[in-house]
Amino acid sequence: MGVSRFITRSLLAAGTVAATALVPLVPQASAAEPAAQAERATTGPEQADREISALELRVTPGTRTAESRTALLHCDPAGGTHPEAAAACEQLDAVQGRLGSLRAGKEKPMCPLVYRPVTVKATGTWKNSPVQYSQKYSNACEMKAYTGAVFDF
């Protein structure tokens, strides 16, 4: 009975290895190419001139890049890994995708006077235009007050 069990397990393992070797390799899409993924997903001539809005958003506390948080934001329709994608897209629509304008017109927020710098970065496309944005805030409270839902993840 022990030899029979050994032979059965060996055959099962050999079959699994052989089946795995026969499966063709499928290239995986990179998370760094959200605009390209969205563009490939469109079909038909009416989608050819579709405006793509896809951003990779990153929040880094201080200089500790190992503790960075990242979210993907797709707009029109809102989606991605961002937990508040609809609200973030709405805010960006209001400033025509100019992230630096999120702060415009806002008074200095009432935040604690604690210096714990937070850096936010956004890369990708907004309405088919390239986006490269980086801003450093004194602390997370100030970042949230100025950027709202965009970097709140």
Side-chain angles (χ1 to χ4, degrees), residues 102-111 141-142 144-147:
L102 288 172
R103 186 177 177 151
K106 295 184 179 177
E107 294 181 24
K108 182 122 176 91
M110 296 295 291
C111 291
C141 173
E142 185 180 62
K144 182 156 171 54
Y146 286 128
T147 64

Side-chain angles (χ1 to χ4, degrees), residues 130-152:
V131 173
Q132 287 286 341
Y133 175 78
S134 181
Q135 179 67 43
K136 190 177 209 175
Y137 294 96
S138 297
N139 55 44
C141 173
E142 185 180 62
M143 175 202 72
K144 182 156 171 54
Y146 286 128
T147 64
V150 177
F151 290 98
D152 188 21

